[in-house]
Amino acid sequence: MDESKKIGRRDFVRGAAAFALAGGTWAAVGTKAEGTVWQLDPNKCTQCGRCATHCVLNPSAVKCMNQFNICGYCDLCFAYLHPGSRERNTGAENLLCPTAAIERKFIEDPYYEYKINEDNCIGCAKCVEACLVFGNGSFYLQVRQDVCINCNECSIAKACPSNAWSKVPASKPYMFITGETPPGQK
Amino acid sequence: MKETVTTAKHPWLVGICVVVVTAAYFVLLARSRHPDPGPNLLYDTAEFAQADNVESSFQETGRLTPTVEAPKALAAGPDGTVYVGGKDCVQVLDPSGAEVKRIAVNGSPTCMTLTPEGALLLGMKNRVAQLNVGDASVTEWPELDARAYITSIAVHGEDVYVGDAGNRVVLRFSRDGTLKGRIGETDPQRDIPGLLAPSPYLDVAVNPDGTLWVANPGRLGLESYRENGDLITSWYKPSMKLDGFSGCCNPAHIAFRDDGKLVTCEKGLVRVKIYDVTSGTYEELVAGSSLFPRAQSVRDLAVDARGRILVLDPKFNAVRVFEHKDDENDRTHQPA
């Protein structure tokens, strides 16, 4: 047997250490699964109101969105105005939202744009249901990922009666009510 | 050194306190930390649905089940034949719902009507096609612009009226497809407020005396026009009550009975009702929201030659037939 081809104890330990280091690095970086975040499917949501009350954050990380390509820009917007409101204006007594989180802006007669002030929105979904029943259904709820602290066990998901909540890839954190992909999300 | 021994004066009392506090802790822990949302955070539509919880002299007497995929358009022939348009197909049903014929078409009709000669005029997004039911031949009209979204079509004499919700206008065509005029566009000089169609619903119908009536859903009412586009009259009824039109944009569908009464169908809180069209007076409820699933829209509405009110309901994938209870009884007691 050729003595020069013998592997010494020191070489063996060095080789094993290098192999372990390379393997550990690959395991840590190379095969790391993509992160996931909590999101709710607006097509399964039943507007139960628990997104407002069951989040560990106060106010909730769930906010209302308005999908403008569905919105009718109605003057008589049922998501904005209380059904019994006497006038169609910004008077507090006419507003449906309990925190006045919907902002109404005149576009051209008789069209108005409705935007959500997310600082005020508590995710109660009153406007979502009103728009769904009496309008085009352009309002829907989504978890704002910049607010959500992504609990391991989401307390809203646990309480959701319609199983609308699931973990979604962090690269695709939002959904549209139409099933389309939001801009900037492949 | 003398040790000090402290003893409780009432050890049993301390024990009870410890047990009570511990039990209370576990009871509170077991209960949810999150209260369910109260009434201020909930939108209750039940009180609105209550408005149409009244006795109706109409009843649902049957359901015809078309087998076309995604049915959207409905028309009724003078002999009781029912036409249902769906994906790439028009299905012809006899009055009992049995299939008579199935005709392949290029596209999905969103509305259709029958000409006096028995041809079908189909509205399909931004084009109209004339389908000869006998030999299945199709004559295509020139396409409208890309923004057009045809939602209704009606024939009167030599005119064809096409409701275009995309451009918020009613187009008047000759029977060969030549554009003759535009109706309903905002014109302050002629006191025309303009049609509003926040959603893809803009229905037209011609009543038996030949007057064109157009649903203006954004204003929650109806308008009638002359052939030249002059506004004759209008009435609007935004209301959550039964005599008005609820929601942002209703009525979604209109049709006329032979006696000139207007039949309307609302979306959202689905209600089928009858009005006196000239005065806008509510007369009768045909079907209330309890008969339709929540927040659904029916696809089309028609009245057949027997006066049956036909509603194309996508939830049940059926043409639901509503008849006056007296009519049904009369027919039941007629000798065979």
Side-chain angles (χ1 to χ4, degrees), chain B residues 237-303:
Chain B
K237 290 207 160 189
S239 171
M240 300 304 287
K241 294 178 182 170
L242 187 56
D243 62 349
F245 299 121
S246 64
C248 70
C249 26
N250 271 313
H253 306 285
I254 58 171
F256 280 101
R257 297 198 315 195
D258 281 347
D259 61 2
K261 296 296 181 190
L262 175 75
V263 183
T264 65
C265 181
E266 292 164 54
K267 72 182 186 78
L269 205 62
V270 177
R271 302 189 295 204
V272 183
K273 297 182 288 188
I274 293 175
Y275 283 84
D276 177 78
V277 74
T278 47
S279 64
T281 309
Y282 162 78
E283 294 202 339
E284 208 171 347
L285 178 75
V286 175
S289 57
S290 61
L291 296 178
F292 295 90
R294 174 179 165 274
Q296 286 282 338
S297 304
V298 303
R299 292 282 182 250
D300 210 348
L301 171 76
V303 179

Side-chain angles (χ1 to χ4, degrees), chain B residues 181-259:
Chain B
R182 299 170 70 88
I183 296 171
E185 290 176 305
T186 306
D187 188 346
Q189 302 294 324
R190 298 164 79 189
D191 285 336
I192 299 174
L195 298 170
L196 301 180
S199 49
Y201 296 93
L202 178 62
D203 209 352
V204 298
V206 180
N207 78 353
D209 72 12
T211 310
L212 170 68
W213 284 88
V214 181
N216 193 339
R219 298 188 195 279
L220 297 138
L222 276 99
E223 296 166 356
S224 67
Y225 290 91
R226 292 197 174 88
E227 291 173 351
N228 64 1
D230 285 345
L231 178 66
I232 302 171
T233 186
S234 60
W235 50 270
Y236 309 112
K237 290 207 160 189
S239 171
M240 300 304 287
K241 294 178 182 170
L242 187 56
D243 62 349
F245 299 121
S246 64
C248 70
C249 26
N250 271 313
H253 306 285
I254 58 171
F256 280 101
R257 297 198 315 195
D258 281 347
D259 61 2

Side-chain angles (χ1 to χ4, degrees), chain A residues 4 12 14 24 28 41 58 61 65 69 72 83 87 107 133-134 141 144 156 170 180:
Chain A
S4 62
F12 177 79
R14 279 180 184 159
D41 184 344
N58 189 13
M65 313 268 160
N69 63 346
E87 294 178 4
I107 302 293
V133 176
F134 293 113
L141 293 181
R144 285 305 307 205
I156 311 176
E180 297 168 25

Side-chain angles (χ1 to χ4, degrees), chain A:
Chain A
M1 196 172 185
D2 189 358
E3 289 289 320
S4 62
K5 288 189 178 176
K6 273 188 177 176
I7 300 171
R9 186 184 296 165
R10 180 171 294 176
D11 291 337
F12 177 79
V13 171
R14 279 180 184 159
F19 183 78
L21 185 67
T25 307
W26 181 74
V29 178
T31 65
K32 187 179 181 183
E34 187 186 4
T36 55
V37 290
W38 285 106
Q39 190 52 273
L40 76 137
D41 184 344
N43 295 300
K44 290 182 181 173
C45 173
T46 51
Q47 302 87 43
C48 68
R50 291 181 183 169
C51 288
T53 55
H54 281 60
C55 186
V56 294
L57 300 177
N58 189 13
S60 171
V62 179
K63 305 290 178 188
C64 180
M65 313 268 160
N66 188 8
Q67 193 165 330
F68 290 109
N69 63 346
I70 300 179
C71 181
Y73 292 79
C74 304
D75 177 18
L76 178 58
C77 173
F78 275 72
Y80 182 76
L81 297 166
H82 196 276
S85 60
R86 305 182 89 183
E87 294 178 4
R88 299 178 194 177
N89 58 33
T90 57
E93 70 278 13
N94 300 324
L95 306 186
L96 177 73
C97 179
T99 58
I102 305 176
E103 293 171 354
R104 172 178 157 116
K105 181 183 164 194
F106 176 75
I107 302 293
E108 64 173 29
D109 189 37
Y111 298 106
Y112 292 81
E113 183 184 78
Y114 297 91
K115 279 187 175 174
I116 311 298
N117 180 336
E118 291 187 4
D119 290 339
N120 289 357
C121 180
I122 57 170
C124 68
K126 269 181 102 169
C127 57
V128 177
E129 173 142 27
C131 186
L132 193 69
V133 176
F134 293 113
N136 287 359
S138 65
F139 282 69
Y140 64 108
L141 293 181
Q142 287 284 273
V143 179
R144 285 305 307 205
Q145 303 300 344
D146 53 343
V147 180
C148 177
I149 54 173
N150 205 20
C151 300
N152 192 34
E153 187 180 53
C154 172
S155 59
I156 311 176
K158 210 173 155 188
C160 177
S162 53
N163 289 324
W165 284 71
S166 61
K167 285 270 197 177
V168 298
S171 60
K172 296 178 181 176
Y174 294 104
M175 299 180 192
F176 266 169
I177 196 161
T178 52
E180 297 168 25
T181 307
Q185 194 174 282
K186 292 180 182 175

